[in-house]
Amino acid sequence: MNKKIKELKKKSIELKIDVIKMLDKAGSGHVGGAFGMAEIFTLLYNEIANIDPKKPDWKERDYILVSNGHICPIWYAILANIGYFDRKKLDKLRKVDSLLQGHPKINIPGVENSSGMLGHGLSQAVGVALGLKMKKMKNKVFCIMSDGEQQEGQTWEAAMSASKYFLDNLVGIIDYNKIQIDGNISDIMPLGDLKNKYEDFGWMVLDVNGHNIEHLLSCFEFVNKIKKQPTLIIAHTTPGKGVDFMENKFEYHDWTDDGEEVKEALRQLRQKLSDLY
Amino acid sequence: MNKMSNYFLRDWKNESKLEQKALRDGFGEMILKLGKDNKDIIVLNADLPGSLRVKKFEKELPNQFVQVGVAEQNMAGIATGLEIVGKIPFITSFAAFSPGLNFSQIRLAAICKQNIKVVGSHYGLNVGEDGASAQMNSDLGMMKSLAGITIITPADYNQAMQATKLISEMKGPAYLRVTRAKFPVFLKPDSEFEIGKAQKLIKGDDLTVIATGSMVYETIQALLPLIEDGLSIDLLNIHTVKPLDKEIILKSAKKTNKVIVVEEHNIWGGLGESVARLLGEKHPVEIKCIGIKDTFGESGSHRDLWSKYGLDRKSLRKQISSLIF
Ligand SMILES: Cc1ncc(C[n+]2csc(CCOP(=O)(O)OP(=O)(O)O)c2C)c(N)n1
C-alpha cells in the first residue's frame, strides 16, 4: 500500500470512529450506509473535488450533493474533519438548537443540498449542473445516492434530463450496498441491471468496489475524460463496513445503541486503525 | 361547574397510571384484525413496514400485502388500481411522503371518490430526532382542501383502533394520521365514536377548548389545575377534522363566547383555521389558535421540541390562562 492510500484509509476509519461517538451521544442515527461510504467521502473531499473549506461559497468550487441524506453522520464528520465547522458541533447532532440536523439542510457549511426525501437529490444535482453550464462555469457536480432511492420514479426523471442536457459536469455515485430499511433490495423491490438501465438513459457507467481506494482514484480520473454525457459510478459497498456485527445487515440501516455495541464497535475500528500504523 | 364525560378510562387524570402507547400501534393492530376478516383489505407500504406497524400484517397476510419499495407515488397509483377491481387499499408511510409526496395521485382518486385509505404516520414535532424533513405539519392543510375526503386524527391508541375500523367500513377516500411517539391511553376502547361527530370530553360554561390528535391529552393536563381553580370549560375532542362537527362547535361557542383550538400542525391550514372560518361566518367570538407558529421543526427529543415550540402542558396552560384571566 503506498503512503497516500494508507493515509486515506486511516482517515476513513477515523471518520467512522467519529460517527460512532456522534451517534452514541445523539442516541440514534444512520450507520449502515454511512460506513459503506466512508472511503468515498474521504476521497472526494481530500483528493477529488476542488474545494476550500475556508471558503464554502467559493464560486469555482466543485459541488458535492448527497441525496440519501440519512447517511449524514459521515458527511458531517468529514466536513468537520477538514474544517468546514468546529468539531465540537458533532457532539450536538440531532439535539435541539443544533446546527447538525438529523437530515442535512443547506445552511450547514459545506452542505450543498437539503435532503431527507429520497429520490430528490439527483434532480437537485441536475439543476446545479445545468445552472453551471448556463453560466459557462467549469465546476464539477458530484451527487451521492443510495440504491434504495433508485426505486423512486423521480430518480429516473432526473437521469433522463441529465443526458438530454449533456451534463458531462455531473457525476452520480450510487452506494450500491444492497440493503434498505426493511430488508435486502432484492426482496423489497429488485432494481434489475442498474448499469444497463443508466446506460439506456444515456449515461456512461462505471462499476467499482467502493472500498478500494486505488480503483476509486482511477475511476474518478477516468470520469474527467467523459464528454457530452453524465457519468455514474456504481460503488459496490458493504453496509456497516468495518464493524463485523453491522456488516451486510439491513438491521443496521439505522441504529439505537445499547452502550455495549458502541464499545465493541470502537474497539474493532481502533484495532483496524492500529493495524495500519 | 364541570361535568366529566364517560369517554374516559378510570384513571384518566393520573398519567402515571395510564399505559403509554403509540397511535401507529393502534392502527397496526386493528388493520391486522380487519384484514383477517376481510380479504379485500390490502395494505401497501413503501419500505417502512416497521414504522407503520404492519410487519405482522405482512407476515400473517402476505397475499394482502404489497411492498412497493421507496416509491410513494407508485404506491398511491397501485392503490387506485386495486380499488378499481374492488379492493380496499390502505397506503401506509410517513405522512411527510404520503400524502406529502403523492398528493396528486391521491387527489385524482378523491375527484372520483375512490375508496382508498391513506395512513400517514410520524406527523408533528413529536417525531423528534430525524428533524424537519420527517416532521409533517402541513398534512391537514393539504388533505383538508380535497373535496369530500374524510380526515381523522385520533387522540390515543384506542381511538386509533376505532378510527381504523370505521374508515375501513365507510365508502370513499379517507386520511388517518397516527403518531410514532407514545401517548397515554385515556379513552375507553368502546367509547362512542362516530365519524364527523366530536366528543365532548368535559362539559362547562366559561370557555371552549378544542383539541385534536396528539394534543388532546396534553391539553387535558394543561387544563386540570385550571379546572381545580374553578374554571368551567367545554373540552371538545375533534377527532374528525373533516367533515367538521359544526353543530357542536357552534353550540359551545354560543355558550362560552371564547374558543381555543390546540393542534400539532402549522396554524396555517390546520384545524384552528377551519374552526375560525366557521365561527367567523356564523358566530364571531374571541378565538385563539395554538399550534406550530408558521415555522418548520428541527431535530430534538419530543419533549424538548414541545417545550421549545410551546406545545407542552406548561406553555399551553400559560396561553390558555392569558386568554381568560
Ligand atoms: C421519499 C422517502 N420515502 C421514504 C423515506 C424513509 N426512508 C429513509 S431511509 C430509507 C431506506 C432507503 O434505502 P437506502 O437509502 O438504500 O438505505 P441504506 O443503504 O442507507 O441503508 C427509507 C425508506 C425517505 N427518507 N424518503
Side-chain angles (χ1 to χ4, degrees):
Chain A
M1 213 187 290
N2 77 30
K3 199 162 164 248
K4 180 167 103 182
I5 288 175
K6 204 172 190 175
E7 284 312 309
L8 289 166
K9 196 94 206 162
K10 274 191 209 157
K11 198 157 233 185
S12 74
I13 298 172
E14 283 162 3
L15 293 179
K16 291 183 197 176
I17 291 174
D18 282 344
V19 167
I20 294 287
K21 291 181 181 164
M22 287 157 68
L23 297 195
D24 184 28
K25 290 205 177 84
S28 65
H30 296 78
V31 69
F35 274 24
M37 292 298 280
E39 287 91 348
I40 288 179
F41 273 96
T42 307
L43 264 185
L44 271 179
Y45 280 93
N46 287 290
E47 293 292 325
I48 307 299
N50 187 25
I51 48 157
D52 181 353
K54 295 285 162 273
K55 292 187 288 180
D57 297 325
W58 179 39
K59 295 266 179 296
E60 309 290 319
R61 74 187 185 278
D62 289 343
Y63 288 75
I64 300 172
L65 285 77
V66 178
S67 181
N68 48 335
H70 59 270
I71 68 170
C72 59
I74 193 84
W75 200 8
Y76 297 158
I78 184 115
L79 291 175
N81 185 279
I82 61 175
Y84 275 96
F85 48 78
D86 187 348
R87 282 183 61 80
K88 284 202 206 88
K89 299 236 184 282
L90 299 178
D91 296 344
K92 282 207 69 193
L93 171 69
R94 292 180 155 246
K95 299 252 193 316
V96 168
D97 294 328
S98 170
L99 173 72
L100 303 182
Q101 294 291 300
H103 288 85
K105 287 168 65 177
I106 48 173
N107 62 321
I108 301 170
V111 167
E112 305 280 13
N113 69 308
S114 298
S115 56
M117 185 177 84
L118 291 169
H120 188 53
L122 191 58
S123 297
Q124 293 171 317
V126 167
V128 174
L130 190 58
L132 290 167
K133 288 254 177 207
M134 289 169 175
K135 292 162 81 168
K136 311 229 177 319
M137 307 273 287
K138 294 271 174 256
N139 326 35
K140 276 206 127 26
V141 181
F142 298 93
C143 179
I144 292 171
M145 298 176 265
S146 69
D147 45 8
E149 64 181 329
Q150 303 306 309
Q151 294 160 351
E152 288 283 3
Q154 187 181 351
T155 301
W156 300 97
E157 297 167 25
M160 216 183 295
S161 53
S163 60
K164 176 188 169 186
Y165 287 104
F166 309 106
L167 299 181
D168 49 15
N169 54 348
L170 174 62
V171 182
I173 303 167
I174 294 181
D175 172 22
Y176 202 5
N177 65 12
K178 283 100 182 161
I179 63 153
Q180 54 192 109
I181 284 192
D182 188 48
N184 297 322
I185 297 266
S186 54
D187 298 320
I188 302 293
M189 184 55 68
L191 295 176
D193 188 336
L194 263 190
K195 186 166 194 281
N196 263 336
K197 283 184 175 155
Y198 270 90
E199 281 171 355
D200 279 349
F201 276 75
W203 290 57
M204 166 64 70
V205 183
L206 308 171
D207 263 304
V208 65
N209 173 344
H211 307 297
N212 187 321
I213 290 179
E214 284 109 321
H215 285 185
L216 284 167
L217 280 170
S218 53
C219 217
F220 281 114
E221 212 165 289
F222 180 75
V223 163
N224 285 324
K225 302 192 184 111
I226 310 297
K227 293 282 169 265
K228 299 274 178 225
Q229 66 178 150
T231 312
L232 178 72
I233 297 173
I234 298 179
H236 295 266
T237 59
T238 303
K241 174 87 174 171
V243 176
D244 60 7
F245 58 87
M246 293 181 179
E247 286 188 2
N248 292 312
K249 295 240 171 53
F250 69 83
E251 293 85 350
Y252 285 89
H253 161 85
D254 62 347
W255 185 41
T256 320
D257 81 81
D258 63 355
E260 280 311 300
E261 288 194 343
V262 169
K263 268 189 235 150
E264 177 57 17
L266 286 176
R267 192 194 64 75
Q268 290 188 22
L269 291 168
R270 284 181 179 134
Q271 180 64 47
K272 291 202 166 63
L273 195 57
S274 71
D275 290 349
L276 285 171
Y277 280 92
Chain B
M1 268 297 83
N2 289 286
K3 190 168 173 289
M4 304 304 166
S5 71
N6 56 10
Y7 290 112
F8 293 122
L9 285 170
R10 201 188 56 210
D11 290 318
W12 65 281
K13 283 187 191 174
N14 189 345
E15 189 171 1
S16 62
K17 284 195 176 161
L18 298 176
E19 256 187 297
Q20 299 269 341
K21 284 188 171 186
L23 273 62
R24 61 178 175 175
D25 284 306
F27 162 70
E29 267 179 51
M30 181 51 79
I31 197 69
L32 175 63
K33 215 187 242 171
L34 296 170
K36 284 180 179 165
D37 292 341
N38 183 350
K39 296 288 156 227
D40 284 334
I41 287 181
I42 309 291
V43 169
L44 297 95
N45 183 268
D47 194 27
L48 292 166
S51 296
L52 268 294
R53 297 300 198 244
V54 292
K55 276 185 103 79
K56 242 175 137 177
F57 190 105
E58 175 181 17
K59 201 158 163 238
E60 295 186 26
L61 301 169
N63 295 328
Q64 289 166 251
F65 185 82
V66 180
Q67 177 52 261
V68 299
V70 196
E72 296 76 9
Q73 298 179 69
N74 191 33
M75 173 168 71
I78 292 175
T80 55
L82 286 165
E83 193 266 358
I84 290 170
V85 296
K87 300 292 180 189
I88 306 168
F90 279 72
I91 63 175
T92 64
S93 183
F94 291 171
F97 311 126
S98 178
L101 189 48
N102 53 16
F103 181 68
S104 277
Q105 285 80 356
I106 294 167
R107 177 175 168 272
L108 195 62
I111 288 175
C112 298
K113 301 198 170 24
Q114 280 193 268
N115 192 29
I116 74 162
K117 317 298 172 187
V118 180
V119 182
S121 143
H122 292 51
Y123 75 82
L125 299 171
N126 71 70
V127 170
E129 288 76 2
D130 276 343
S133 66
Q135 297 162 348
M136 186 51 151
N137 295 309
S138 315
D139 54 335
L140 288 181
M142 295 170 75
M143 296 302 267
K144 209 168 81 158
S145 68
L146 295 178
I149 198 161
T150 295
I151 302 175
I152 304 191
T153 164
D156 76 353
Y157 164 89
N158 284 339
Q159 194 153 70
M161 296 243 270
Q162 291 181 308
T164 303
K165 182 158 190 292
L166 285 184
I167 63 168
S168 79
E169 289 164 359
M170 61 161 271
K171 270 255 179 241
Y175 176 46
L176 173 69
R177 8 160 39 214
V178 291
T179 63
R180 180 183 91 137
K182 291 178 178 170
F183 291 100
V185 184
F186 67 101
L187 295 169
K188 287 182 190 153
D190 55 352
S191 58
E192 203 178 311
F193 185 100
E194 198 184 322
I195 292 175
K197 287 270 169 275
Q199 296 176 330
K200 185 165 287 190
L201 299 180
I202 300 175
K203 192 166 171 237
D205 304 312
D206 303 336
L207 172 71
T208 302
V209 179
I210 291 173
T212 192
S214 53
M215 280 292 114
V216 178
Y217 194 75
E218 199 65 13
T219 303
I220 289 174
Q221 285 300 333
L223 291 173
L224 282 176
L226 301 178
I227 288 174
E228 247 157 57
D229 288 348
L231 178 67
S232 173
I233 57 144
D234 247 5
L235 174 63
L236 303 181
N237 169 23
I238 304 276
H239 48 68
T240 310
V241 170
K242 195 174 179 185
L244 192 64
D245 189 346
K246 296 184 186 129
E247 233 168 88
I248 199 169
I249 295 171
L250 276 171
K251 215 170 141 197
S252 179
K254 280 178 183 164
K255 177 175 64 178
T256 64
N257 282 312
K258 261 186 194 159
V259 176
I260 292 177
V261 187
V262 193
E263 63 191 316
E264 193 172 8
H265 186 278
N266 193 349
I267 50 174
W268 288 78
L271 172 66
E273 246 182 32
S274 299
V275 173
R277 188 188 49 74
L278 170 73
L279 294 175
E281 284 175 3
K282 305 274 190 204
H283 183 75
V285 296
E286 199 176 341
I287 177 165
K288 185 175 177 66
C289 296
I290 299 176
I292 297 158
K293 297 183 185 71
D294 202 25
T295 178
F296 289 100
E298 61 177 297
S299 291
S301 74
H302 164 188
R303 293 287 158 185
D304 284 353
L305 291 173
W306 271 16
S307 61
K308 176 167 175 182
Y309 290 83
L311 296 178
D312 64 321
R313 59 196 66 177
K314 236 168 96 189
S315 331
L316 293 178
R317 194 176 303 138
K318 221 166 119 189
Q319 295 178 75
I320 295 168
S321 303
S322 74
L323 192 75
I324 44 177
F325 299 118

